[in-house]
Amino acid sequence: MPQLQVTVGSASGLHARPASLLVQAAARQTARVTLARPGQTAVDTRSLLSVLALAAKQGEELELTAVGEDADQALAELAALITEDHDAPAAR
Amino acid sequence: MSRLLDGIGVGTGSAAGPVARMAPPPALPAPRPVADPAAETAAVRRSVGEVAAELADRAERAGGVAGEVLEAQALMAADPTLLDRVAALIAEGTDGPHAVTAAYAEFRALLTAAGGYLAERAADLDDLRDRTVARLLGLPTPGLPDPGHPYVLVAEDLAPADTALLDPAVVLGLVTVRGGPTSHTAILAKALGLPAVVGCAGAAGLTDGQLVLLHAAEGTVEVDPEPGAVRRAAEREQRRRERERGVSGPGRTADGHPVGLLVNLGALAELDGAAAADAEGVGLFRTEFLFLDRAEAPGQAEQTAAYRRVFEAFTGRKVVVRTLDAGADKPLPFATAADEENPALGVRGLRTATRDPELLETQLAAVAAAARGSAAEVWVMAPMVSVPREAAEFAARVRAHGLPLAGAMVEVPAAALRAGRLAEVCDFLSIGTNDLSQYTFAADRLLAPLAALLDPWQPALLDLVAATAGAGAALGRPVGVCGEAAADPELALVLVGLGVNSLSMAPSCLPAVRAALAAHTLGDCRELAELARTAADAETARTLVRRSMNAELRNA
């Protein structure tokens, strides 16, 4: 199972807009990708409610795990979305 | 055949269009056993899909930031983890509607526990839950309707949360089953300049798509109106708009008697709109907004900054600041006692200064600091003044801070009856007609069954206005009206006829009042005032004035 450590990039954490972008991208993947704080229960990245409920702050380390077809590619794409700062003026 | 429904009119215009009803949140039926869990789960999936598709469609049409918010809502509605949880609950024997409700409650608890920004999103989940359950039960979608064309909104009553989303470009008019002339809906309709009929019991029977013609001035809703009636109303509406566009600048009667036209200001968010209005200034700056939803009063620096913004926006114009009016329907933890059995008759308004003098001192110091170096003309007044001694003490405090103009609000009959004594010790008086009605008729402003008593056309209320205005005139002190009454163009004429010098209202109400004044002389206003004061009751007063006024408008 490919895994990846990622750091939350958005200034306000994984809140509505960054989380929505992540969830929309996850829904397009064939692989099933989960997100967790190290050592804690993982949540489905296609579930906006679960991702929001993580309440992950900027700079927090999270763990992405992928299962299935094109797992590595899915991980890379979702990791990029999490580490980017979507609240930076240039990202809007 | 058309038929007529009666209610209480708000505003003066008319509007015709198809009805769109605002459905209430669905009531959850009693739990029932699940015979076929697979079918039950499939039904939930279908409903969820429909709700998500509807929200996604709205998101696309809205675009921009609103579109992003709606898109996130669509994602939440179709959340796979939520659906898994619903399926698990159904497998355990819970029926669809209860499973949806329970699953949303679990996620709501998670978001609330996360606190901050996420806790605020919890209310979104309630909306999604209601939409999904309504679909499942085959009930209409709750919340503001979105039929895709302009409509007349019909609702039981409107909650502040619903009305915040109301788009005046799509909503032609409002009809509510409940609510009185001072209800939230009525105030909102006035602020948006929408014609409305509230407290219209017959509206409960209206259905989506039914054509209605509402006349705000008459307080009637015509169901299935004749095409001719719709056309005539549209023509009248256009003439009214043209007449309003034809006058601008300071308020005056047809023979040049000046009447100050001012705006009410209740939050900094309204500041730009208020400053842009064709008004001579602010007649009522409600400072409560700074204090609401807080555990402690804001400090002097924070208050000064807020007041300065207002004074800067009104450079060269007048701003009448009302000091904190806490208590009654606006309790504040640091200013209101929790053990008052009758808060409207409790320690509220200026009375809170006897319990906590610092609260008022800090506020006056902040107003004074903001006024220094400002080119706005700052007036300060106190709410709920009942006896002359209170007015004198307040005026002394205001002047001690270097503020030159101190006034008293006239909101209780005692103040109106002794207005002369009040006027002797301060610089101006301002009548708050909503509270003055409440205390004159011993009728709680928030109780719909007493709405008729709170009608600002009540001759007894007009007597108290006349007493106040007369006392002010005798001493050369200006007397203003800053309650709902000032925004009614017909009643505004009566108030001017009674001797009131200025009228303060929502910015959207100014054009109609200005046009009414421009079409009548001071003598006309005095005659209308006499008609209203000598009428047997509020309804007769309104009818008599309207009849005479319309005749004059025809001659004009």
Side-chain angles (χ1 to χ4, degrees):
Chain A
M1 272 193 319
Q3 276 198 341
L4 211 56
Q5 302 289 319
V6 288
T7 310
V8 177
S10 290
S12 50
L14 274 186
H15 79 100
R17 186 161 183 269
S20 296
L21 293 172
L22 174 71
V23 169
Q24 280 166 322
R28 288 193 297 266
Q29 309 291 344
T30 333
R32 295 283 72 101
V33 185
T34 58
L35 185 66
R37 289 204 166 79
Q40 291 185 15
T41 317
V43 302
D44 188 344
T45 48
R46 296 170 307 163
S47 164
L48 180 56
L49 287 169
S50 307
V51 172
L52 284 178
L54 277 178
K57 307 254 182 316
Q58 186 181 34
E60 249 192 81
E61 289 276 332
L62 298 176
E63 223 166 57
L64 274 175
T65 308
V67 185
E69 223 175 295
D70 300 326
D72 289 308
Q73 196 195 316
L75 272 191
E77 194 184 322
L78 298 190
L81 277 173
I82 294 174
T83 49
E84 189 184 330
D85 182 0
H86 297 281
D87 296 324
R92 300 255 13 170
Chain B
M1 268 300 281
S2 73
R3 66 201 163 87
L4 211 57
L5 308 175
D6 283 317
I8 302 159
V10 178
T12 46
S14 59
V19 162
R21 289 195 61 95
M22 188 161 84
L28 213 49
R32 58 180 162 76
V34 177
D36 182 352
E40 191 85 8
T41 307
V44 172
R45 279 189 194 283
R46 209 163 39 242
S47 302
V48 159
E50 286 167 4
V51 170
E54 186 188 273
L55 290 168
D57 176 52
R58 278 199 195 193
E60 201 171 311
R61 278 190 280 141
V65 177
E68 279 183 19
V69 171
L70 287 165
E71 206 171 304
Q73 293 250 295
L75 284 175
M76 288 188 209
D79 195 297
T81 305
L82 181 92
L83 266 173
D84 288 349
R85 185 68 191 123
V86 172
L89 287 164
I90 290 174
E92 288 166 18
T94 311
D95 64 69
H98 284 90
V100 168
T101 304
Y104 267 113
E106 289 170 17
F107 273 103
R108 194 188 206 284
L110 277 177
L111 294 193
T112 310
Y117 175 83
L118 287 173
E120 288 167 26
R121 302 237 70 96
D124 297 352
L125 292 194
D126 296 344
D127 181 48
L128 292 174
R129 176 201 60 205
D130 290 344
R131 285 168 178 274
T132 310
V133 171
R135 284 266 175 187
L136 261 178
L137 297 172
L139 296 170
T141 306
L144 281 179
D146 187 14
H149 53 75
Y151 60 88
V152 173
L153 180 63
V154 176
E156 183 66 25
D157 203 357
L158 292 174
D162 300 319
T163 52
L165 302 167
L166 213 149
D167 179 0
V170 181
V171 178
L172 304 165
L174 298 173
V175 181
T176 60
V177 176
R178 288 188 287 129
T182 59
S183 66
H184 182 87
T185 308
I187 291 166
L188 175 100
K190 268 185 198 158
L192 293 174
L194 284 176
V197 176
V198 300
C200 178
L206 293 172
T207 52
D208 280 336
Q210 204 163 20
L211 192 65
V212 292
L213 169 59
L214 70 92
H215 300 281
E218 278 89 38
T220 58
V221 179
E222 223 174 311
V223 189
D224 303 322
E226 306 289 338
V230 173
R231 198 185 57 243
R232 281 192 300 277
E235 286 166 3
R236 249 198 330 270
E237 190 66 12
Q238 184 163 357
R239 276 201 302 277
R240 186 176 70 86
R241 293 218 183 95
E242 277 166 13
R243 205 164 56 232
E244 288 176 10
R245 272 198 296 271
V247 258
S248 60
R252 51 188 64 247
T253 58
D255 55 336
H257 173 70
V259 179
L261 291 181
L262 306 151
V263 292
N264 294 342
L265 179 65
L268 287 184
E270 300 166 5
L271 184 56
D272 290 345
D278 184 4
E280 285 147 66
V282 179
L284 171 63
F285 174 25
R286 300 184 176 96
T287 53
E288 291 80 68
F289 76 92
L290 270 176
F291 296 79
L292 294 172
D293 304 321
R294 308 184 48 144
E296 283 172 44
Q300 188 181 323
E302 184 186 344
Q303 290 190 48
T304 304
Y307 303 149
R308 188 167 282 143
R309 276 186 60 191
V310 174
F311 298 161
E312 274 168 9
F314 282 89
T315 289
R317 291 191 275 178
K318 165 176 161 181
V319 178
V320 184
V321 180
R322 180 176 72 187
T323 58
L324 180 63
D325 185 18
D329 57 331
K330 291 168 288 194
L332 295 177
F334 47 85
T336 314
D339 59 352
E340 291 185 351
E341 280 187 35
N342 297 302
L345 303 177
V347 182
R348 58 161 297 200
L350 179 64
R351 299 170 184 181
T352 55
T354 55
R355 187 188 290 148
D356 184 358
E358 268 316 297
L359 211 52
L360 180 59
E361 276 305 301
T362 306
Q363 187 169 31
L364 290 178
V367 173
R372 269 193 294 277
S374 143
E377 193 187 312
V378 179
W379 300 29
V380 189
M381 66 183 180
M384 278 297 282
V385 172
S386 306
V387 293
R389 181 181 48 77
E390 290 173 328
E393 285 173 8
F394 177 76
R397 279 179 178 221
V398 170
R399 289 180 190 127
H401 283 277
L403 291 158
L405 292 164
M409 284 204 68
V410 174
E411 298 171 284
V412 299
L417 292 169
R418 288 297 169 115
R421 295 283 183 179
L422 292 185
E424 276 173 8
V425 294
C426 58
D427 305 297
F428 67 97
L429 300 175
S430 181
I431 305 172
T433 46
N434 290 345
D435 269 322
L436 189 53
S437 299
Q438 155 163 286
Y439 295 116
T440 301
F441 297 95
D444 189 328
R445 286 167 57 180
L446 306 175
L447 285 183
L450 303 179
L453 287 172
L454 295 161
D455 189 328
W457 285 88
Q458 285 281 3
L461 178 74
L462 299 180
D463 280 349
L464 292 173
V465 171
T468 310
L475 289 154
R477 305 278 196 272
V479 175
V481 168
C482 60
E484 295 303 311
D488 172 344
E490 295 160 9
L491 189 48
L493 297 175
V494 169
L495 296 174
V496 168
L498 294 174
V500 164
N501 308 106
S502 66
L503 303 164
S504 190
M505 64 201 81
S508 65
C509 302
L510 287 166
V513 172
R514 195 190 327 267
L517 287 171
H520 296 82
T521 63
L522 182 58
D524 295 336
C525 293
R526 288 186 174 140
E527 280 175 31
L528 294 174
E530 187 59 24
L531 276 178
R533 261 188 86 183
T534 51
D537 52 48
E539 205 41 59
T540 316
R542 184 188 274 116
T543 310
L544 285 175
V545 167
R546 186 164 291 154
R547 207 174 283 156
S548 322
M549 186 180 119
N550 286 342
E552 279 151 22
L553 269 182
R554 273 200 297 278
N555 298 339

